[in-house]
Amino acid sequence: MKKSDKTYIVGIDLGTTNSALSFVDMSVDPSNRKISLFSVPQLSAPGEVAKNKVLPSFLYLPGEYDVTPESIVHPWQHHKEHFAGVFAREQGSRVPARLVSSAKSWLCHGKVDRMAPILPWGADASVPRLSPVAASAAYLKHLRDAWNHRAGADEDKFLENQAVIITVPASFDEVARDLTVEAAKLAGYGQVTLIEEPLAAFYSWLVYHEKDWDRHVKPGELICVVDVGGGTSDFSLITLRETEGSPRFERIAVGDHLILGGDNMDLALARHSETLMGKSGARISANRWQALCHQCRQAKEAILSGSMNERVVTLMGEGGKLIGGTLSARLKKDDVERIILEGFFPVVSSDERGAAPSAKGGITEFGLPYAQDPAITRHLCRFIERNAQEVKRLTGKDNPFPDLILFNGGALSPDLIKDRIREAVRSWFCAEIPSRVLENPDLDLAVSRGAAYYGMVKAGHGVRVGSGSPRGYYLGLAGVGGGAPEKALCLMERGVEEGSLMELSAHRFDVLANQPVSFSVYSSSFRSGDRTGDLIDVDDTLTLMPPIRTVIQYGKKAGEIKVPVKVSAHYTEMGTLELWCKSLVSDHRWRLLFQLRDSEESRAVPEDRVFEEELVQKSLECVSQVFGGDQGGLKPERLSNAVVEACSTPRERWPLSFLRRMADALISAAEGRGISAEHEARWLNLTGFCLRPGFGDALDEHRVRTLWALYKKGPLAAKSPQVRLEWWVLWRRVAGGLSAGQQRQVIQDLAPVLRPKKAGERAKLSAEEENELWMLAANLERLMVKDKVDFGRTLLSRLDPKKTNSKMLWALSRIGARDLLYGPLDRVIPPDEAGGWISELLSKSWSNPRPVGMALSQLARKTGDRKRDMDEALAEKVKAFLAPFDWGRPLVKVVSEVTEADEAEKASRFGESLPAGIILKTGE
């Protein structure tokens, strides 16, 4: 069924703070069609349902006693494990530990598995959890259920049978867009179309000015759309151009992703309130802090709307101090305006135009990696300036100062904020007068209204804005020796319309079939002039997207072969990107999918050296000589030195591409490790070294999977102490490449040795082997929190202050670390548990305090996320322990403020040096 055959066109704003639905009835006469708002029935109080113009994007997970099942009533059949809307938001302000919020911001958080149940963030084990995708689906399902209830028994009018357009931030990458589509599928929707929110906001303005837009905008004028919602800030540039004799609106550029919006303003007001209460730092518990943020949001909205000049925020006590522990603060209008205007909307000077962006540590409250610089006006001005070349090309303007600004998003409702943004832009670009304003009524509803209008435009009605893809997409071509891409081919130029299929017919490619392969894909939101098929340099104008890793199957019995293909990019009607390979010698066709479930554990960096192929081959020949069965060949104990001599480089400086080629050769020669115990020990040692940390290269998943088959069989020379030791060293080194299930298998195998049921059953291990086993356990960052807690407690009980064991203290610090090296954030143990370990360490006198101090600094490291950070009083005790020592003073900073770990520190936390080509993405 075509979109024009649908009864309704529906626009849905899936917002961070509020969601809204607008629609147009296409069955009525065109002259009478209008865009209407759907008032959403929802719980407004226990057992009470009322209609509201928006559905607050909050999901409450009721406990056994706080909300009775009888009070969770809806006009339609509804599962009572959670509910969304007004009552969910209000109940969540009282019991924040059971409230899911900001799900939209989590959809684009690459440090977590967005398909995993991790929300509410930091909730204890008694609270059920949902994934960011499932939470987004819950809001969409509520809208669908409410709509379908109104439709009655007429299935033709059900929401899943209509033309549905869902809005997303223009800055959402392909993964976040695909996850939004996945949420719609989970909610029972049919095919949906995506539209960027700033573009929808402009379409909303066109709803009111369809007939007289030429009175407000002249050809060549530049329009800047500034959209600041609860969780994100989005910018777009649009102009009016003469095209084939008639004027046409055309989008020029979209901004990069910014998790920065009303939520951050609430946090800033909460910090101010905290100081008024006589509190600072983390003295307020995480749950009370979350409740304070909710109250500050209410106070902000009331004060900035002009309905009151001040508001008291109150925090009830906890536990036995329910009344006596009550705290309150009075938020005054002047303070609220000052904090928001100066902190988020400062007037920025033209002197900053050439300055580099701030490099200070970002805020990570509630687990989200908020933008490092909170100044929205600075981000905005830099976005406009960055697109100056494209603005000049399309409008002829030497100065990209926007002639008009269209404001959108609930955070920009107050006039004083809009006026401040206009003044900041005027100051930055040295304009005589501020930009004119395109009035946009009902900022909370504009995006859904504009999405519905966009649906009408796609059906052939209304004024169209030339937009298309907000980004260009590029395919990376492998560098010398298979290294990081140095060149990229333009797959799809920026601005192509939905439904476009771009084929690289002028280029022939060969893909490796029946073996793991990886594709590097880049995007750019501001490169201009590139055309499909253009070859460009890989530089900082390109953003590396999540990897595409797959095995292209070709033939039932074919081995590893090259297949000639042509590559195409399809910008779908839904607004998502599809990449395809089509065989030139058969009818085979393969779709290449982005890795939606991967965390961003590391990022590739250009290698500072690439070995000449002859040196590589000499090195690989050394492996063959040792493990090829030639007894007269190279001795295993000489292998490492022989490779060093062959490539003329110490092994600590072997680049990533060389390490992985060595790993491939070693894995292929795995049978040769059975020649002798010495052969096996050397094979284990060098394989682990070349494959550490188990991820970072596109094909590491396949390599570790191949290696895992050996794990199940165990070491061949298990009676050799050296082989057993090297066996565990190998798995410690590559543990980051093991899946959660594989890590669980390893810890189950270690449990009888490290945590026997009876104390007398402890295995007789050498001190060296026991240390290595604990270090392996500590590097299993994907373990469940309860397993980490159990092993951490056992390890803590084994520590002897008279014989300070630096390796076991290192292991304890890894198990209880506030900031993981590669594991998802939801696998960090609770701060109360880690705090108990800290107190235990501080209560003893240690023969060697340095390794204790190193461990304490990681257990108490400040992240800025109150769900992970240590109580301030305990942090002060850690700093007091560290301060007297010269080596401890740099660690005081780690405990005192949010700092980004440098590569030396990350290597120290890993346990040894990392390959030069890998940068671990911690602290996000």
Side-chain angles (χ1 to χ4, degrees), residues 343-626:
F344 297 90
F345 303 101
V347 175
V348 284
S349 166
S350 59
D351 295 340
E352 297 186 48
R353 295 180 71 168
S358 169
K360 62 184 178 182
I363 304 169
T364 54
E365 295 281 2
F366 306 133
L368 288 169
Y370 293 125
Q372 293 183 345
D373 184 355
I376 293 172
T377 44
R378 189 174 293 115
H379 288 290
L380 170 62
C381 292
R382 284 191 171 130
F383 157 70
I384 298 171
E385 186 174 83
R386 192 173 65 179
N387 288 282
Q389 182 180 352
E390 185 73 348
V391 169
K392 183 175 182 179
R393 185 178 72 86
L394 294 176
T395 69
K397 292 167 63 75
D398 290 321
N399 186 349
F401 173 72
D403 302 283
L404 303 113
I405 294 180
L406 175 70
F407 294 105
N408 189 66
L412 301 186
S413 295
D415 288 337
L416 80 164
I417 293 180
K418 288 182 269 195
D419 292 341
R420 175 58 74 93
I421 292 174
R422 293 171 68 206
E423 177 56 26
V425 174
R426 185 203 64 79
S427 172
W428 182 283
F429 291 102
C430 304
E432 294 184 2
I433 59 174
S435 306
R436 308 193 314 272
V437 176
L438 293 178
E439 295 298 335
N440 191 21
D442 299 325
L443 299 190
D444 285 336
L445 308 174
V447 166
S448 69
R449 184 171 54 237
Y453 185 84
Y454 172 69
M456 293 178 62
V457 168
K458 289 180 71 66
H461 311 278
V463 179
R464 184 179 184 88
V465 178
S467 54
S469 169
R471 292 171 180 77
Y473 295 95
Y474 305 80
L475 179 66
L477 305 181
V480 178
E486 300 169 355
K487 297 284 185 178
L489 202 64
C490 181
L491 286 171
M492 189 174 76
E493 57 211 55
R494 196 179 77 182
V496 301
E497 298 295 337
E498 293 89 344
S500 298
L501 179 65
M502 315 296 288
E503 294 190 348
L504 297 173
S505 54
H507 298 270
R508 171 192 165 123
F509 299 89
D510 289 329
V511 297
L512 301 176
N514 304 317
Q515 61 182 297
V517 292
S518 175
F519 297 84
S520 298
V521 181
Y522 300 85
S523 68
S524 178
S525 60
F526 63 95
R527 281 189 65 93
S528 61
D530 296 334
R531 295 293 176 261
T532 297
D534 287 354
L535 191 65
I536 66 169
D537 292 328
V538 173
D539 56 25
D540 58 7
T541 65
L542 300 180
T543 299
L544 182 62
M545 296 176 63
I548 294 177
R549 302 168 185 160
T550 188
V551 175
I552 292 178
Q553 298 291 346
Y554 183 78
K556 294 182 178 180
K557 297 183 179 180
E560 299 179 356
I561 60 172
K562 288 184 178 181
V563 179
V565 299
K566 69 175 180 180
V567 176
S568 62
H570 183 205
Y571 188 51
T572 71
E573 291 288 349
M574 289 190 295
T576 58
L577 175 68
E578 292 181 353
L579 296 182
W580 293 86
C581 283
K582 186 180 186 309
S583 170
L584 295 176
V585 294
S586 68
D587 294 331
H588 290 83
R589 189 165 174 256
W590 304 272
R591 183 184 172 190
L592 308 178
L593 297 173
F594 295 99
Q595 307 300 114
L596 300 185
R597 301 184 71 94
D598 277 4
S599 297
E600 294 182 2
E601 296 159 349
S602 65
R603 60 182 172 87
V605 294
E607 295 183 331
D608 62 354
R609 59 174 57 205
V610 177
F611 289 169
E612 199 274 322
E613 186 61 20
E614 183 179 352
L615 299 183
V616 175
Q617 291 301 324
K618 287 182 179 179
S619 301
L620 300 181
E621 178 60 28
C622 294
V623 174
S624 179
Q625 289 180 33
V626 173

Side-chain angles (χ1 to χ4, degrees), residues 16 21 38 75 92 121 129 137 144 396 430 436 447 452 487 732 736 812 844 873 878 922:
T16 306
L21 187 154
F38 178 68
W121 179 247
R129 302 193 193 191
R144 173 176 166 257
C430 304
R436 308 193 314 272
V447 166
K487 297 284 185 178
R732 169 177 61 78
L812 185 71
K844 298 178 180 179
V878 172
T922 62

Side-chain angles (χ1 to χ4, degrees), residues 21 188 254 257 263 287 302 330 334 349 358 414 474 551 570 593 595 617 643 649 739 819 870:
L21 187 154
V254 299
H257 184 67
D263 289 350
N287 286 338
R330 189 178 301 273
D334 289 346
S349 166
S358 169
Y474 305 80
V551 175
H570 183 205
L593 297 173
Q595 307 300 114
Q617 291 301 324
V643 175
T649 305
S739 67
D819 182 24
M870 208 53 57

